[in-house]
Amino acid sequence: MRFTLPFLIGQAYAFRAAVESDTLFDVHATTEKDPSGCAPVPQFIQDRYGPMKLLGVGATGCGWAGVDKEGQGSNKDVVVKITKKTGKQKKMDEFCAVMDHIHAEACKLGGDDLKLARMHIPVCLDHGEDPVSHHGYTVMSNGGEQAIGRADNKYQPGRMEDNRKVFLQLIAGVGIMHKTGVAHNNMHGKNVMLNDDLELTIIDFGNSRINDPSKEKTTQGKADLHELQTHLAVVIGCKAGKKPNAAGHQALLACVKNDLGADAEFPSAFDKILEASENNRHDANPDSVVAPLWKTKFMQTHHPGATERFVDPKPCHPPAGL
């Protein structure tokens, strides 16, 4: 699911999301979405989740915001993706299987890992095929309506505290995906969402792969590391640090040291991610690349805290004592 929405946070932030032609929306302009390319919203979807608001029109489907009238808990906001083409039941199954896998593996890990998954990864609530129109649909928890923007978008960082909050959530979101064995493979700026509280969600798992732990090496995660480096550079206004090469590596490392208020421990751990991205390498255990950052004092102090926003309705029994 791909959203392109202008977003203004306070008076200091401006996010710009690219349209397909790579031109930019003015964040102060209002843009009406054109639903003409979308499949009709099935009546049973409208009855349960309507009224529906069109969020975005992507290459393969349209995203609609709604509220689950039968939902449990405090967060009943949902996003419904409806495919443009028919016969996409298998794709919807795969889409939800990845999200289910992340949450199931996070449940086994328990502790902060479970909380991070429930903070940064949406839950698939329902999926299938409309029996009338035969268009596929997926219903998932809604993490926000504002995209962080594509990799080449301009981004105007705000206060250091806010930039740091988004920066660390990007690392945590990619980290929990990789720790549960999933490579996203399509982490451009339209698939990284923020809500009004700057809580970050990673969406659209249509190109994702569940890694085979029996393989000695895997390149599945390298695309995620490239995109992660680009987003991190944009978030803190480090233009020279966007490229996943030696020069970009050093530039972003310098920005982290100078602009985030990080102590020596954090840049040392962060260097491992940049090195893996630069060398197109990703270890069979991706946790070995991202996880050291979670353990730093800087991350523990300044990550906004793992709030369980997306609680999986299926039973979860984490390890005892966590």
Side-chain angles (χ1 to χ4, degrees):
M1 195 180 306
R2 297 175 181 177
F3 304 120
T4 309
L5 296 173
F7 184 37
L8 182 64
I9 303 174
Q11 297 179 355
Y13 268 94
F15 288 95
R16 289 182 176 181
V19 294
E20 295 303 321
S21 62
D22 287 335
T23 58
L24 298 175
F25 285 134
D26 185 333
V27 295
H28 298 287
T30 58
T31 305
E32 292 295 329
K33 297 291 182 297
D34 181 6
S36 60
C38 300
V41 179
Q43 188 61 49
F44 72 92
I45 295 287
Q46 296 186 48
D47 291 343
R48 177 160 178 174
Y49 305 107
M52 311 299 292
K53 172 188 174 185
L54 182 59
L55 292 177
V57 180
T60 61
C62 298
W64 300 83
V67 176
D68 188 355
K69 300 182 181 72
E70 301 174 21
Q72 303 296 318
S74 57
N75 185 5
K76 298 182 181 181
D77 294 337
V78 298
V79 171
V80 181
K81 177 176 181 177
I82 301 175
T83 62
K84 291 181 176 179
K85 295 182 179 180
T86 59
K88 295 296 181 180
Q89 173 73 48
K90 182 179 179 181
K91 194 63 179 176
M92 296 297 96
D93 293 344
E94 294 172 352
F95 191 87
C96 280
V98 173
M99 287 184 279
D100 289 346
H101 172 87
I102 293 173
H103 286 284
E105 292 300 306
C107 183
K108 295 176 186 177
L109 294 167
D112 287 342
D113 294 319
L114 176 58
K115 291 179 180 179
L116 286 170
R118 287 178 166 178
M119 180 176 187
H120 298 305
I121 309 297
V123 170
C124 180
L125 301 172
D126 188 21
H127 67 286
E129 184 178 279
D130 176 17
V132 177
S133 69
H134 302 293
H135 289 273
Y137 70 90
T138 303
V139 182
M140 68 200 85
S141 47
N142 186 355
E145 298 182 8
Q146 289 75 36
I148 206 171
R150 291 181 66 94
D152 57 353
N153 281 0
K154 294 179 180 179
Y155 169 84
Q156 299 174 7
R159 300 182 307 156
M160 181 178 73
E161 292 82 359
D162 291 337
N163 300 341
R164 192 162 54 194
K165 179 178 180 178
V166 178
F167 185 96
L168 297 180
Q169 287 183 94
L170 275 164
I171 292 171
V174 173
I176 191 58
M177 272 196 315
H178 287 187
K179 190 168 185 178
T180 55
V182 169
H184 190 282
N185 296 323
N186 196 26
M187 258 197 63
H188 59 64
K190 292 183 183 179
N191 288 337
V192 182
M193 309 296 290
L194 292 169
N195 64 15
D196 292 339
D197 295 321
L198 291 184
E199 294 173 321
L200 183 142
T201 306
I202 296 172
I203 64 168
D204 198 342
F205 294 87
N207 290 337
S208 299
R209 294 292 180 271
I210 299 173
N211 292 332
D212 183 353
S214 66
K215 292 183 179 178
E216 224 175 90
K217 295 281 183 181
T218 177
T219 59
Q220 282 289 344
K222 71 177 183 180
D224 293 352
L225 295 185
H226 289 180
E227 292 286 5
L228 176 62
Q229 178 173 341
T230 300
H231 294 325
L232 293 175
V234 169
V235 163
I236 61 174
C238 186
K239 185 176 180 181
K242 292 171 63 174
K243 298 295 184 182
N245 54 30
H249 176 158
Q250 293 302 318
L252 185 53
L253 196 61
C255 290
V256 168
K257 291 177 180 177
N258 298 331
D259 300 338
L260 283 188
D263 55 21
E265 180 192 27
F266 185 81
S268 177
F270 185 63
D271 185 49
K272 292 181 174 62
I273 286 184
L274 300 182
E275 181 184 359
S277 176
E278 177 190 336
N279 295 331
N280 285 337
R281 177 187 59 77
H282 203 257
D283 292 339
N285 177 12
D287 187 32
S288 65
V289 178
V290 181
L293 279 168
W294 301 3
K295 300 172 184 176
T296 62
K297 182 179 179 181
F298 184 74
M299 174 68 92
Q300 295 297 317
T301 302
H302 295 292
H303 185 277
T307 59
E308 299 190 16
R309 296 189 293 140
F310 308 135
V311 178
D312 195 327
K314 293 180 282 296
C316 173
H317 303 289
L322 294 175

